């Protein structure tokens, strides 16, 4: 499958490498087609990896992952071109984190709206699935935990897209995937990112992952 | 210790019985001093159990647990009398759930405010600690899970009160307690209740509990 990754940060590179490892062709998109971090990643990732602008990555891909800073999502999706995302699965791995008041970050939106809903509005014909936002990048691919596996929680409006992302998550090493409903469930999934951050600050753990224990 | 439980529902009765089991004297408070559910509970719980109004329970107690419907907190705390809660640890086990638009419930407040903060404002001299709100009542006392123990996440403004509640949680069978900061962290802890609800709806599990897996 052809995969476009929008973003060159830890999350973008981690997911891009995971897709390459699984045999997919991956184009990493950035504001500039010659982005240094993307170039370094391409060199490391080998022949299935390439780079380009956000629009290049969106146009190339059958499936797109949004992995930029959440507060930049609007600008990134505008640059990518919503028409290039039409009909495609768009995994929103972001959180609308506002670092302007220092650490820990706050959410920039919530309660009556969410980053996931903003993404769906900015790319109205994309089939947006919120995923990966509740866990740190080090755990996103093949998470290994004593007492695992952790749970992935997703949401989105398109049932077929969620099925496809669930199958993908299974390949990524997440056998436990729960579908929490429409994209508006991002309103409760995005706060879980902050719970993850605050738990890290409280415990000094930065590689934790959420599991739902069941009887 | 003398404990006051404000509320006669599943959470109130579960926590009240847990305190009795641990040897504490418990007064269950309700709108009416003769509340039927409280009377049934007292009969069952034995000589360390008693009942009264919200004010009776608050006045009796050294430590108070708020276990009413979250949207009723303001009225309940007014009936209890904030002056009777001054200086006392007040465990807020509630969530501001709005069922008016059907199932699943929504949060009645969030993002820029929270139920926990409302409670602290309604009882300004109480030492409010948010606890128990992220898990169902069946798991609140001595939770037994393969792969456990689950994690309890708390927050509040008073460090001493959080220490006391942490020690209490250990007695309740929660060795893993993380302090997520001031009472404003209720803004992210209360959405976790909805994650719990939506996970239950998605999986059919109603006895799940959150654990943070760590490396």
């Amino acid at each position: 499958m052809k995969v476009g990754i929008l973003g060159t940060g830890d999350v973008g590179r981690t997911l891009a490498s995971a897709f390459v490892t699984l045999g997919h062709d991956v184009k990493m998109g950035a504001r500039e087609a010659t982005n240094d971090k993307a170039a370094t990643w391409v060199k490391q990732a080998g022949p299935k990896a390439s780079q380009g602008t956000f629009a290049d990555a969106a146009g190339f891909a059958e499936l797109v992952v949004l992995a930029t800073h959440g507060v930049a999502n609007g600008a990134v999706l505008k640059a990518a071109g919503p028409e290039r995302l039409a009909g495609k699965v768009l995994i929103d791995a972001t959180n609308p984190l506002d670092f302007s008041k220092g650490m820990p970050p706050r959410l920039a939106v919530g309660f009556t709206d969410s980053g996931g809903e903003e993404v769906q509005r900015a790319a109205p014909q994309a089939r947006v699935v919120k995923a990966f936002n509740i866990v740190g990048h080090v755990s996103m691919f093949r998470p290994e935990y004593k007492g695992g596996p952790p749970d992935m929680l997703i949401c989105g409006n398109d049932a077929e897209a969620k099925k496809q992302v669930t199958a993908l998550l299974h390949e990524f090493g997440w056998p436990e995937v729960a579908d929490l409903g429409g994209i508006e469930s991002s309103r409760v999934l995005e706060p879980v990112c902050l719970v993850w951050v605050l738990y890290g600050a409280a415990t000094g753990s930065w590689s934790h992952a959420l599991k739902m224990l069941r009887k």
Side-chain angles (χ1 to χ4, degrees), chain A residues 1-5 19 23-27 48 50 57-65 88-89 164:
Chain A
M1 183 169 59
K2 289 179 173 174
V3 177
I5 305 284
F19 279 105
H24 300 289
D25 295 298
V26 178
K27 192 180 286 293
K48 287 187 158 292
S50 61
F60 167 84
E62 298 159 83
L63 178 145
V64 179
V65 180
K88 296 179 183 176
V89 173
Q164 195 179 329

Side-chain angles (χ1 to χ4, degrees), chain A residues 81-171:
Chain A
E83 71 284 3
R84 292 186 191 87
L85 300 165
K88 296 179 183 176
V89 173
L90 175 62
I91 296 179
D92 174 18
T94 70
N95 284 293
L97 298 182
D98 172 6
F99 290 91
S100 69
K101 292 192 180 119
M103 294 294 289
R106 294 146 185 253
L107 291 173
V109 60
F111 186 43
T112 56
D113 197 6
S114 62
E117 290 162 280
E118 288 179 340
V119 167
Q120 183 64 82
R121 287 197 301 272
Q125 292 181 283
R127 300 149 73 207
V128 177
V129 179
K130 192 97 196 170
F132 292 111
N133 80 296
I134 62 166
V135 74
H137 72 96
V138 297
S139 309
M140 287 180 176
F141 187 53
R142 297 179 178 163
E144 294 288 340
Y145 289 92
K146 210 171 74 176
D151 283 80
M152 185 61 82
L153 309 176
I154 68 171
C155 68
N157 293 338
D158 186 298
E160 267 313 307
K162 288 191 283 191
K163 267 190 207 169
Q164 195 179 329
V165 171
T166 298
L168 192 66
L169 283 163
H170 293 167
E171 280 192 80

